[in-house]
Amino acid sequence: MSETRDWDGSTYDRISAPQHAWGKEVLERLPLQGDETVLDAGCGSGRVTEMLAERLPRGRVIAVDASPSMVDAARERLGALKGTGVRVDVRVMDLEALQLEAPLDAILSTATFHWIGDHERLFAHLRAALRPGGHLVAQCGGEGNVRGTREAAQEVSAREPFEPYMRGWDGPWNFSSAELAEERLRAAGFKEARCWLHDVEVYPPEPREFLRTVNLGSHLLRLPEELREPFVDAVHEIVGEPYRIDYVRLNIEAVA
């Protein structure tokens, strides 16, 4: 199973403009009539879930995330939908142990799968949750993602006083190639699978907060409280200003 990390949901909601923009693009690729039951797999603070719900006026959204703080933020955001007729159910749930009451018509996921270590297990659970002919449309970090930030974090992790806490740890991410993702999807039982990579440059407006909350959150959990800000400072010094993040996005489209 992957490491479970509880994010700062309210901070993520404020600084996650890049993820929100990507989510909008991914959602546009999902074919919907408006009456389906759709899973938002890794809903975060609910910004993409909100857009998904707008496309399902007669349908239902099940939004899940492994982080209780993210789920709290999503429930707060999506509470505004009460009384609109859109049904949204937000749950704390690990995607590697996904179990739902009835088959889904579709699954949407953005900026989530690279946090999950076992993609074979993940894709098998997603396939089992879909009805035959159901669609999976997703995007996550792919091979080569955030290379500069990863290299900076590795350099700092090898220094004292951080090294004893980071020793033997390969990091929290699973950045797959498009070819391997397609193989894993078909092995999980998807009839059709198409994956591709594309590059995106991001300059976060709050670089230290973005580093702390998004890029280095899992690293900081391994450190005692008094070493967390010095770790962020050291990585921030290496990546410099303006902080440019070289994202590589893995796009996934599959049919059950």
Side-chain angles (χ1 to χ4, degrees):
M1 300 291 283
S2 303
E3 295 183 10
T4 299
R5 167 188 167 195
D6 194 14
W7 293 60
D8 181 344
S10 60
T11 299
Y12 182 84
D13 188 75
R14 188 182 80 247
I15 66 175
S16 60
Q19 288 82 359
H20 180 249
W22 300 333
K24 183 178 181 181
E25 294 173 359
V26 176
L27 177 57
E28 289 173 353
R29 300 205 311 264
L30 181 63
L32 293 173
Q33 299 299 315
D35 58 355
E36 295 92 343
T37 297
V38 182
L39 175 71
D40 186 352
C43 64
S45 61
R47 296 180 73 178
V48 176
T49 317
E50 191 173 36
M51 294 189 294
L52 173 61
E54 291 174 358
R55 290 192 55 193
L56 294 167
R58 303 176 306 282
R60 180 188 181 202
V61 178
I62 302 173
V64 304
D65 202 285
S67 164
S69 177
M70 287 289 209
V71 167
D72 288 344
R75 285 173 175 161
E76 181 176 355
R77 170 180 289 277
L78 299 169
L81 294 174
K82 289 182 178 179
T84 65
V86 179
R87 296 177 294 163
V88 181
D89 181 4
V90 188
R91 310 178 187 181
V92 177
M93 186 175 292
D94 187 333
L95 290 176
E96 288 183 273
L98 181 68
Q99 289 190 335
L100 299 172
E101 303 81 21
L104 301 162
D105 297 302
I107 297 173
L108 175 76
S109 185
T110 60
T112 297
F113 291 171
H114 57 268
W115 295 106
I116 297 175
D118 189 341
H119 281 183
E120 290 90 345
R121 180 183 177 90
L122 167 66
F123 293 157
H125 278 281
L126 297 180
R127 172 60 189 89
L130 280 168
R131 64 166 177 78
H135 287 260
L136 166 64
V137 176
Q139 186 187 94
C140 62
E143 186 176 40
N145 193 50
V146 295
R147 188 183 304 278
T149 305
R150 285 190 289 123
E151 291 174 351
Q154 289 168 357
E155 179 180 333
V156 174
S157 294
R159 300 176 185 173
E160 294 294 338
F162 312 112
E163 191 275 337
Y165 302 97
M166 299 297 189
R167 187 183 304 152
W169 186 57
D170 294 329
W173 300 297
N174 181 3
F175 296 139
S176 173
S177 69
E179 295 77 13
L180 183 56
E182 286 186 2
E183 290 176 12
R184 288 168 168 165
L185 286 161
R186 292 193 176 98
F190 285 91
K191 293 187 298 184
E192 301 175 23
R194 185 172 77 97
C195 302
W196 70 97
L197 300 175
H198 78 271
D199 300 335
V200 184
E201 284 187 0
V202 170
Y203 294 83
E206 297 183 57
R208 277 187 56 84
E209 199 61 67
F210 202 92
L211 271 171
R212 181 188 298 107
T213 303
V214 179
N215 299 141
L216 301 179
S218 295
H219 295 72
L220 301 184
L221 290 178
R222 304 186 68 84
L223 297 170
E225 187 69 36
E226 66 272 15
L227 292 182
R228 294 178 180 179
E229 288 307 308
F231 188 89
V232 175
D233 290 339
V235 174
H236 191 200
E237 183 177 357
I238 294 173
V239 298
E241 291 285 359
Y243 175 34
R244 185 189 76 180
I245 309 176
D246 295 318
Y247 277 105
V248 179
R249 313 311 296 164
L250 170 63
N251 299 279
I252 296 171
E253 293 182 359
V255 179

